[in-house]
Amino acid sequence: MPRYLVIVESPAKAKTIKKFLGKNYEVLASNGHVRDLPKSSLGIDIDHDFEPKYITIRGKGELLAKLRKEVKKADKVYLATDPDREGEAISWHLYNSLKLEEKASSRITFNEITKNAVKASIKQAREIDMDLVDAQQARRILDRMVGYLISPLLWEKIKRGLSAGRVQSVALRIICDREDEINAFVPEEYWNLEAQFSLKGKKQPLVAKLSNSKRVIRNEAEMNEILEKLKDAEFIVDEIKKSERIRKPPLPFTTSTLQQEAAKALNFSTKKTMQLAQQLYEGVDIKGHGTVGLITYLRTDSIRISDEADHAAKEYIKESFGNEFVAQEENRGRTGKKIQDAHEAIRPTFVEFSPTVIKESLGRDQYRLYQLIWKRFLASRMNPAKYESTSMKIKGNDFRFTASTSKLVFEGFLKVYTPEEEEEKEGIAFDNLKEGDKLELLELNKSQHFTQPPAHYTEASLVKTLEELGIGRPSTYAPTITTIIARRYVAKENKNLYVTELGEAVNNIMKLAFPSIVDVNFTANLESLLDCVEDGTVNWKTVIRNFYPDLEEAVKNARDKLEKIKIEDEVTEEICELCGRNMVIKYGPHGKFLACPGFPECKNTKPYLEKIGVSCPVCKSDVVIRKTKKGRKFYGCINNPECEFMSWQKPSEVRCDKCGSYMVEKGSKLVCEDKNCGYYKMIEK
């Protein structure tokens, strides 16, 4: 009986695939890349047409030796790494490291880790696609050049430990530009007017807004003029229009839309979303079924769904909700850019594995993400929701007020899924009104408003912007955002991303010395060139040859002309007990710590404890944010261990009206910490 060796990236994926194949198949994992450019040098031979110098990654020698032994035993080797550029490159590096040119070997890919998909891929085995490999090599070398040539310059001009990146520097610039817009924004005053009318048989009044399309009401004097003219007005229903409105179902998830929706609905970072999605893709142990790959490949910008999956979803919808919920037309999305249509959208591999069926086998966050993917996919195969909308115009002297209401008449996809920010509220019904009816005015309410600046970026909105501008690809969004936060160029507070002083300094240098690197259009065009390399229409070395000379010249000019920038450490009120100086905040591998500014004469350091502005309920000292050994955040007394107060939820100064205990914040509520009390109240905004 012939022996076959299948090599994948991860042990979890190996475990899932192993159960689909016979005893004559051995499935092993490479644990990601086995070769890369060296960390200690640029690793690119500039003088010999930019040839990359790949070396075995430290620690992978033993693993490669084990794989070589298994290769010798096997009659044929299948390289089954992920179905994208990165996966193709890993297979190519394995091919070279294991000397597979002397062995029968093939490349296989599958979009989902299921028995049918894996077996079908073996029947459709092919050679390694060098266009895909070259596209990945080009990206890797471009990123290495930017990182290794510009980063030392940042160390020299600002401080050590900084980095530049082809995509991360553009992302930082986008955030900085938004910060500049916010800072330059000048609010403008405007006024709104609402009228409340009584309706027969209804306690709730009918609210209509002044329709003032001709001009904006800029101040209270203008508003008072209007109120004067409406003083003795008679209000009559001028026009009533009824219409049917449909709300289309959402498209199935791509990498970008999954990251955006998980951030909004589940408050997941892009990094966490991708980690959880990777686990669901590679396989989870499901009771009664063994290890199962629960979703299709997670790095995709395609919205395509296979005919088999489409049919299975529609059958499930028909059985669960009725035939009227099954989509009759294909749900098409608009896209003007190239999409990786070799992949499908992100969907469940088996629609019958509903979230409730497999909930016990999943971790809490795995379950929440899987539920989001499952519901979104099912919704995309369902009919639109239908609303009956009624709009009304009310005339009062020379002014018009408008009111509208909508009534859901067919749930459609809303039976399964409602996007986080799009829940609709139905207005008060005014079915008993007709044109010409007089309305009784209860009151006129004027309100002052000011125009708002653009919102700060969140991870979700930044991902959306990067995708719209064509910067990066699905696999790059999460590491890009993680890097700019880890480098402390950007601080994340309550979902919002804020530029730090360090981030501003780095961005200013990049704009001044490397305008093309941080130019949005230049970076997007470079992505298009990488797509052309993947298509086989552009040679990858041509992209490098055109890029390097300008970069080298810019680095040389920047080194000669740029002045040093000093970023001052943040001074605290904490006094160094050894020398009496005010201690400053420094950053280490594990986050912030306090250090004496007198280093090296005084080497005193101590933990940085962030006060939350609340007194300890036990001893009245400050409550600070602490972390467990595993990194979970909690709130404790600054006098620990003398005072043992701790709470997983943020404590409040407010005391319980019922029992006098301290209260903690839970979402929009303040809840008594005494579980036997049960008292809570809403947090005042």
Side-chain angles (χ1 to χ4, degrees), residues 412-427:
F413 76 92
L414 295 175
K415 187 90 173 169
V416 171
Y417 178 83
T418 307
E420 180 65 17
E421 78 287 3
E422 295 179 19
E423 291 187 24
E424 296 199 17
K425 292 180 181 177
E426 295 185 10

Side-chain angles (χ1 to χ4, degrees), residues 475-587:
S475 57
T476 63
Y477 302 139
T480 296
I481 294 170
T482 301
T483 300
I484 59 177
I485 292 172
R487 298 285 182 199
R488 296 183 298 282
Y489 299 162
V490 170
K492 185 179 174 183
E493 293 176 21
N494 298 325
K495 290 191 179 183
N496 290 335
L497 301 175
Y498 298 91
V499 181
T500 63
E501 186 187 359
L502 181 61
E504 276 185 37
V506 171
N507 182 57
N508 288 337
I509 278 190
M510 293 298 294
K511 282 201 298 185
L512 191 65
F514 309 101
S516 62
I517 298 290
V518 292
D519 180 73
V520 167
N521 294 323
F522 176 82
T523 308
N525 288 337
L526 211 49
E527 291 292 351
S528 299
L529 278 173
L530 292 174
D531 289 338
C532 293
V533 173
E534 181 177 326
D535 293 339
T537 54
V538 171
N539 183 286
W540 72 281
K541 289 276 185 79
T542 304
V543 178
I544 309 297
R545 290 180 202 124
N546 291 337
F547 181 82
Y548 179 76
D550 291 341
L551 176 64
E552 184 185 35
E553 183 69 22
V555 170
K556 188 182 174 207
N557 289 338
R559 186 161 277 121
D560 294 339
K561 295 174 184 177
L562 286 180
E563 294 180 2
K564 283 194 173 185
I565 299 171
K566 186 166 185 184
I567 303 290
E568 299 290 345
D569 292 315
E570 187 182 337
V571 181
T572 69
E573 294 177 3
E574 192 78 25
I575 302 298
C576 174
E577 57 269 30
L578 300 184
C579 69
R581 296 181 176 96
N582 282 64
M583 300 190 85
V584 295
I585 296 173
K586 295 278 189 184
Y587 293 85

